[in-house]
Amino acid sequence: MPFSHHSHSGEFCEGHAKDKLEEVVQEALRQKMQLLALTEHMPRDQPADLYPEEIEAGMTNERLAEIFGRFHAEARRLQAKYVDEINLLVGFEIDWIRPSSHEFVDSLLSKYQFDLFIGSVHHVHGIPIDYSAEMYLRALAVSTFNANAAGIPAQPEEMLFADYYDAQYAMLQALRPPVIGHFDLIRLLSEHKNETPKIFSRVWRKILRNLLFIKEYGGLLEISSAAVRKGLLEPYPQRQIVERFSNMGGKFCLSDDSHGCAQIGWGYKKLLSWLKEVCSVDSLTIFEKSRITKDPRFPGIGTRETLIENLNRHCFFNTAGAVNGEIWGKEEIGQAN
């Protein structure tokens, strides 16, 4: 049963993705996917959080909120329209920017009915860390300044990584997201992007702390092919993180974090091989409509396990999307030590 718990469209993620939301659903159907979570970004509620292209286009926080409302309505319409063809879940991806993000996310959960949400951190010190190298360096400068002011000895990037995982921990404690998105996103623009996550012992301890908390409350760690699509050698999260979470008894779900039709199911065939052969993960967890509710915030939504070997037999894996990323060669799998 091929599936993705994380997707975007150009219709409601303007300037950042492509294609209409219904076109995304239709492409998933064409590729014979059986479950797709529609998870556009939440609106941001402060002018300081607008991205450069949004400012240039005259975007406002009020406009972002209006777009988000239209997304929810359209996603529910498509969920009803295609109910006999594909299991569509309606969710959203949060942006944890500061502690007050907690209240804003709660307000969205109260206003709209959702099936799940993705807990993600894209900002450190209020600065995006995956948008551009220039912004990444700004966030790095703040972490470095704070560490020096506090007399904390740290290697370059060590404190930024530590601050990222502290922000993530605050998000986890406040919101307990059903799915944790791109757990180690901080490495995307880092000089250490393909090195072991154990490179900084201080950071590794924070990673283990976060993983243990996720396991304790029952969150799912997203395994995302998007990292390889963006040029990294391993998916989100890296092998050692996957192995440690698996050893804790943690559960995983599968995502492509697609930003348009061309990215749906990207690299899944290699991704499943990496999970099973390199990380020794045998099963994945699927969110679906169920009589047994997993999280009381999302009535009627439960989970079930599926074996990776059963997924590999599905006809989806003969489609173009699944085999994209063949450049992700066998010699590269597990290259980060």
Side-chain angles (χ1 to χ4, degrees):
M1 181 178 173
F3 48 89
S4 176
H5 292 85
H6 189 168
S7 68
H8 301 278
S9 74
E11 184 174 1
F12 300 110
C13 190
E14 298 178 7
H16 189 56
K18 297 181 178 180
D19 306 314
K20 296 286 188 181
L21 188 61
E22 185 160 12
E23 292 172 341
V24 169
V25 172
Q26 291 171 342
E27 176 62 19
L29 278 168
R30 188 190 70 78
Q31 292 194 31
K32 299 178 173 54
M33 269 197 168
Q34 293 176 299
L35 181 147
L36 179 67
L38 309 176
T39 56
E40 300 290 13
H41 288 281
M42 64 179 272
R44 280 153 278 120
D45 63 340
Q46 297 192 23
D49 301 330
L50 294 173
Y51 288 101
E53 74 270 15
E54 292 175 330
I55 296 172
E56 185 177 345
M59 183 64 72
T60 65
N61 300 105
E62 292 76 17
R63 170 80 174 143
L64 288 175
E66 184 270 330
I67 291 172
F68 188 74
R70 287 195 291 107
F71 154 67
H72 183 268
E74 175 65 359
R76 287 298 185 196
R77 183 188 74 83
L78 295 173
Q79 188 180 49
K81 179 177 179 179
Y82 293 98
V83 65
D84 295 326
E85 300 174 72
I86 187 171
N87 183 7
L88 295 178
L89 300 178
V90 178
F92 66 108
E93 181 180 11
I94 76 160
D95 285 317
W96 181 271
I97 302 175
R98 56 186 62 87
S100 62
S101 299
H102 180 191
E103 289 75 22
F104 190 47
V105 172
D106 281 346
S107 72
L108 295 174
L109 290 171
S110 297
K111 184 174 182 179
Y112 301 102
Q113 179 186 355
F114 287 104
D115 300 323
L116 78 166
F117 70 88
I118 312 293
S120 299
V121 176
H122 302 93
H123 299 70
V124 180
H125 310 303
I127 303 169
I129 47 83
D130 65 330
Y131 179 81
S132 68
E134 185 271 332
M135 288 189 171
Y136 180 86
L137 291 175
R138 281 174 51 197
L140 175 60
V142 175
S143 287
T144 302
F145 176 85
N146 291 345
N148 290 338
I152 301 174
Q155 299 180 51
E157 294 195 286
E158 181 179 4
M159 286 310 300
L160 177 58
F161 274 53
D163 290 343
Y164 169 84
Y165 285 110
D166 281 345
Q168 185 183 72
Y169 189 54
M171 180 270 292
L172 294 170
Q173 289 182 304
L175 295 170
R176 301 188 176 217
V179 176
I180 295 79
H182 35 63
F183 179 87
D184 53 351
L185 179 68
I186 186 64
R187 65 189 175 96
L188 178 62
L189 298 175
S190 167
E191 292 183 357
H192 305 287
K193 63 184 68 177
N194 293 315
E195 295 184 43
T196 170
K198 296 182 179 180
I199 186 173
F200 305 125
S201 59
R202 184 200 319 266
V203 173
W204 182 243
R205 289 193 298 270
K206 293 178 185 291
I207 288 173
L208 297 181
R209 173 200 63 191
N210 293 10
L211 293 176
L212 182 60
F213 187 78
I214 294 166
K215 165 60 174 63
E216 287 176 344
Y217 81 78
L220 299 183
L221 205 59
E222 170 190 83
I223 303 294
S224 174
S225 60
V228 180
R229 173 166 53 80
K230 294 180 179 183
L232 278 65
L233 294 183
E234 291 188 306
Y236 298 127
Q238 288 175 282
R239 171 180 58 83
Q240 290 172 313
I241 295 173
V242 172
E243 289 175 339
R244 183 56 66 96
F245 192 59
S246 180
N247 289 339
M248 291 178 179
K251 303 295 183 181
F252 305 91
C253 66
L254 190 65
S255 296
D256 51 34
D257 194 2
S258 56
H259 283 62
C261 296
Q263 297 174 359
I264 293 174
W266 191 96
Y268 268 17
K269 193 168 186 177
K270 290 287 185 182
L271 183 60
L272 293 186
S273 295
W274 178 82
L275 275 172
K276 189 169 178 61
E277 297 171 16
V278 178
C279 303
S280 300
V281 173
D282 294 321
S283 66
L284 292 164
T285 301
I286 305 169
F287 274 93
E288 62 181 6
K289 293 182 179 179
S290 172
R291 289 177 295 178
I292 302 175
T293 295
K294 175 178 172 60
D295 186 327
R297 293 174 295 181
F298 311 106
I301 301 298
T303 60
R304 70 176 176 87
E305 299 294 305
T306 185
L307 293 174
I308 288 177
E309 63 183 46
N310 292 339
L311 281 173
N312 272 321
R313 299 191 190 106
H314 195 278
C315 56
F316 165 84
F317 291 98
N318 294 319
T319 66
V323 298
N324 276 344
E326 284 294 320
I327 193 171
W328 182 10
K330 189 90 171 179
E331 69 280 0
E332 293 180 339
I333 294 179
Q335 186 167 332
N337 295 316

